[in-house]
Amino acid sequence: HVHPVSGSAAPTLFLAARGTGSGLHVDFLQTHFWMALCHGRKRWRIVPREDLACLYPRYLVDLNPSFPADLDGLACEAELAERPALASAGVLEVELEPGDVIFVPRGCPHQVSNLETAVAISANFIDRTNVEESTRDAELLGLVSEDPQHVAASLKSAVSTGLLDELEAAAPQHEHSSLRDFKARHGEARTPQETQRRLVLGAQALAV
């Protein structure tokens, strides 16, 4: 099912210059997230979702909170004096290098800094472990917007029709599968070489 929803459900190419990054945020609709780094270095900081309240979340527009301070504020005495609960937030920190893959569970606030010019691929996804929470958020947002209604309907259909079971049953039983096999399972007709060629052309266009 394809619907006009905000955000990306397909793998996304990230090209980021040194010194850039993403502010503290939580990914949409309780989705899980993974990123594979191809080039450069990234500093990842992740807060367990159990510590979300320590970050003083504000729900202004939708179910994705904004935050009055980012994780750099943990080292600021003035920030800690104004918001003392920040000191109780646990922060998991890791430096991603080429070849590394990181997984961020649903609902976990995270912040990323690009220590070098970086190239990465990533995706948000929903499986059996978060489909209930994702459906709940989509249904709530669907009360005020049409797009989340489509998402909620698709998720409920995937569960009720057994599609989720079929996808899990089709997953490779061994630890690794070839890129060609993975793409075939997900309906991608382009060969890995064609995808690589398009990525190179996109990177060249951005460089110009």
Side-chain angles (χ1 to χ4, degrees):
H1 302 283
V2 178
H3 297 294
V5 298
S6 299
S8 173
T12 301
L13 176 67
F14 277 87
L15 304 175
R18 177 181 179 180
T20 60
S22 65
L24 184 61
H25 67 282
V26 176
D27 286 354
F28 66 102
L29 290 184
Q30 297 290 328
T31 52
H32 297 315
F33 174 86
W34 63 263
M35 172 176 280
L37 187 63
C38 305
H39 174 83
R41 291 187 301 130
K42 287 177 175 283
R43 179 193 184 196
W44 272 81
R45 287 177 287 176
I46 304 171
V47 177
R49 59 176 172 266
E50 293 80 8
D51 292 347
L52 174 65
C54 297
L55 302 177
Y56 298 85
R58 298 173 177 176
Y59 296 87
L60 304 176
V61 179
D62 55 29
L63 298 179
N64 283 349
S66 60
F67 301 97
D70 60 21
L71 297 182
D72 294 330
L74 298 180
C76 176
E77 292 185 3
E79 195 70 60
L80 290 174
E82 182 179 355
R83 302 181 176 90
L86 287 173
S88 299
V91 180
L92 308 174
E93 183 171 335
V94 65
E95 187 174 305
L96 224 60
E97 297 183 340
D100 291 341
V101 177
I102 193 168
F103 168 72
V104 182
R106 67 167 185 88
C108 290
H110 51 280
Q111 183 173 334
V112 185
S113 302
N114 295 299
L115 305 178
E116 299 175 357
T117 298
V119 179
I121 56 172
S122 70
N124 293 85
F125 69 96
I126 298 169
D127 62 13
R128 190 176 301 280
T129 64
N130 63 334
V131 65
E132 182 177 346
E133 292 80 8
S134 296
T135 303
R136 179 200 63 205
D137 278 17
E139 288 181 324
L140 288 173
L141 291 172
L143 297 175
V144 294
S145 179
E146 182 180 2
D147 287 353
Q149 294 177 15
H150 297 310
V151 177
S154 292
L155 292 175
K156 288 191 287 188
S157 174
V159 174
S160 64
T161 62
L163 177 60
L164 194 58
D165 296 322
E166 293 178 17
L167 290 173
E168 289 183 346
Q173 298 303 308
H174 46 81
E175 185 176 356
H176 300 288
S177 62
S178 69
L179 178 59
R180 187 182 299 276
D181 289 343
F182 177 86
K183 291 164 68 69
R185 285 184 55 238
H186 290 79
E188 174 57 74
R190 289 192 295 263
T191 65
Q193 291 80 7
E194 173 63 14
T195 300
Q196 183 180 40
R197 187 183 71 82
R198 293 187 178 213
L199 291 177
V200 169
L201 290 175
Q204 291 174 340
L206 288 173
V208 174

